[in-house]
Every structure is written in C-alpha cells, then in structure tokens.
C-alpha cells in the first residue's frame, strides 16, 4: 500500500470516529442554546468550530486521493452563515443552522463512511 493510500485510509478512519463525537457536541450545544444557557453553549462553540474546520480539511484531502461521496462543499456553503451567527452571538440562529443544516450533512457522511 502506498503511503498516500495509507494516510487516506487512516484519515477516513479518524473521520469515522470523529463524526459521531461532533454530532454529540452539536446536540449538547443545541440543548444549551434552547435552554438559554449561553455560557454553557459557549463551552462547546470553539470545539464545534475547530471540529468543522478539521472535518472540511480532512474530507478535502481524502477526496484528492480517494474520491468519495463526502463533499466538503456541502459544509462550506453553510459555514459563512454560521460564522455570521457566531459573530453576532445569535445562539438561536447558530443552533438552527447546526440542527437543520450542518448536523444532517454530518449524519449523512457518518452513514457513508461506515
């Protein structure tokens, strides 16, 4: 197995492990935001942002060598609106975008990576 193939396979394994954790973190954020516990929600926000960045990069890099069904553009199209909501501290909009736009993409990818 070539080094690139091995790295791609390892990255796909990491994505497979990470996606369910990311989804749980999003659900925790949404729960806090819905209950108006903004301080608790803030604790999850940086992890969500870092996680989304890692997922987009990992999917992009693996697709270069082993094109799959995951398309990082699905998330990239949503992120500007999410980042605007973050900058405006709009927890309702953040939780809606996470729940109705980002989480479904991650759930779909979870099913595709398995």
């Amino acid at each position: 197995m070539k080094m690139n193939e091995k790295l791609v396979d390892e990255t796909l394994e990491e994505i497979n492990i990470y996606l369910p954790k990311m989804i749980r973190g999003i659900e925790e954020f949404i729960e806090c935001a819905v209950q108006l516990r903004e301080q608790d929600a803030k604790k999850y926000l940086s992890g969500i942002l870092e996680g989304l960045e890692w997922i987009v990069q990992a999917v992009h890099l693996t697709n270069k060598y082993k094109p799959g069904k995951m398309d990082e553009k699905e998330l990239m199209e949503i992120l500007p609106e999410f980042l605007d909501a973050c900058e405006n501290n709009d927890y309702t909009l953040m939780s809606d975008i996470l729940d109705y736009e980002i989480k479904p993409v991650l759930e779909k990818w979870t099913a595709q990576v398995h």
Side-chain angles (χ1 to χ4, degrees), residues 12-101:
L12 286 170
E13 286 177 27
E14 289 299 317
I15 291 170
N16 189 34
I17 292 167
Y18 190 72
L19 285 173
K21 293 177 183 178
M22 183 70 180
I23 291 167
R24 281 192 299 277
I26 286 171
E27 290 168 345
E28 291 290 329
F29 175 89
I30 292 167
E31 184 178 319
C32 292
V34 167
Q35 295 174 359
L36 302 176
R37 297 181 359 232
E38 289 183 7
Q39 291 302 319
D40 292 334
K42 279 182 187 179
K43 294 175 188 173
Y44 292 98
L45 190 55
S46 65
I48 288 170
L49 291 169
E50 289 172 15
L52 290 172
E53 180 182 7
W54 182 84
I55 289 168
V56 167
Q57 290 175 354
V59 169
H60 176 74
L61 291 173
T62 56
N63 280 339
K64 279 177 132 178
Y65 298 99
K66 191 175 186 178
K69 295 179 181 178
M70 296 183 290
D71 183 359
E72 72 273 8
K73 292 177 189 144
E74 289 181 85
L75 281 182
M76 293 300 295
E77 293 171 355
I78 302 166
L79 289 180
E81 184 180 5
F82 181 68
L83 293 174
D84 284 345
C86 292
E87 288 176 10
N88 294 321
N89 290 319
D90 187 338
Y91 284 85
T92 302
L93 183 56
M94 282 187 266
S95 62
D96 284 349
I97 293 169
L98 287 168
D99 201 15
Y100 300 112
E101 296 183 47

